[in-house]
Amino acid sequence: MSAPGAPSEAPGGIKSPQVSFRSAPSLEAPVFEVGSLSVYYGSHEAVRDVNLTVGHRQITALIGPSGCGKSTVLRCFNRMNDLIPTARVVGKIRYHDEDLYGREVDPIEVRRRIGMVFQKPNPFPKSIYDNIAYGPRVGGFKGNLDDLVEETLTHAALWDEVKDKLKSSALALSGGQQQRLCIARTIAVKPEVVLMDEPCSALDPIATAKIEDLMEKLAEEFTIVIVTHNMQQAARVSHRTAFFTADVDDKGERHGRLVEYDETERIFSNPSDRRTEDYISGRFG
C-alpha cells in the first residue's frame, strides 16, 4: 500500500488525491465503550461481537461493504433499533460509563443527547425557521428562539444562504442545503453526539465538500460517528476508522463483523489485517 500522504490507487485504477490524515487524540474518558455487541433481527444475527471505543469530540468513521452491519451498529448508539420490533441488542454499550440499555434509561432522552442525521435529507414540510425551532420548542426552550435559529444556522454554515428566506419552505432548498439544515436541526437541541448515516451519499461533490468542512468544525464541540462508503471521505475527516466486513456461515447467512479499528492513518497506510488492506486497495471480493 502507499505511504501516508502519497497518491494511492483507488478502485478502477484512478489516482486518489493526497490525503492529510487527522491526528487522533487519546481515548481517555471515552464517550462510548462497546463490548461484545451483537444485534439480531429475529433469529438472524446481523452483527456479531463488536468491540470498540469512541473518543470525546472525535470523528469516528465506520466503513465496509454493503450488508456488513455499519448502520446497524450506528443505530445502537442512540437506540434507534428499539423502533424495529424484531431487533434485539446483546452485549454492552456504555455511554460515559452508564449502561445505555439499562432499564432506568429513557430512550427519548438518549436520542436528545445523541442526535442522528440520515442518508437522505429529511427536512420537515415546514419553514426553514420552524425546522430549527421545532426541537427546542418541544423541549421547552425558554430563551430567544430567533437568536437560537441564527446561531444554529450559522454553526451549520447555512445562515448566509437562507437568512433572507427563513419563512420559506425547507423543501425548496437544494439537496446539500437540506442536509446542512438537517444537521442544524439536530444540533439545535444541543446534543453531545451526532451520528451520521451516509450523510453525503445523495449529494454532489461540492455539497459533499461543504458537509465535510462542516463536520470538521462541529468536531470542536460534538462527538461524531459517521457511516460512509466513501473511503476517501473517511480518510479525510475521521480521527479513527473501524472496518467491518461480512462473514458467511455454512448456511449461507451473512454476519457483520468488526475486522479492525485504529487511528485512521494506520488503517489506511498500514492496516494489521489483510482484509482491511484488500478492501481499501480495491481487491475486496
Side-chain angles (χ1 to χ4, degrees), residues 52-66:
L52 57 82
T53 301
V54 175
H56 178 61
R57 292 185 182 176
Q58 297 183 30
I59 301 176
T60 301
L62 312 183
I63 66 171
S66 297

Side-chain angles (χ1 to χ4, degrees), residues 4 34 52 59 65 68 70 78-79 85 90 103 105 132 139 145 147 165 175 181 198 215 233 243 272 274:
V34 180
L52 57 82
I59 301 176
C68 67
K70 306 182 299 295
N78 69 343
R79 298 188 52 167
V90 177
R103 291 184 178 181
V105 174
I132 303 302
L145 266 178
D147 289 346
K165 47 186 178 182
L181 179 69
E198 301 265 15
M215 280 191 279
Q233 180 174 79
F243 168 60
S272 61
R274 179 60 183 267

Side-chain angles (χ1 to χ4, degrees), residues 215-231:
M215 280 191 279
E216 185 172 351
K217 293 175 182 176
L218 291 177
E220 296 173 4
E221 295 186 35
F222 304 95
T223 298
I224 298 173
V225 184
I226 177 175
V227 165
T228 179
H229 274 103
N230 186 331
M231 289 183 289

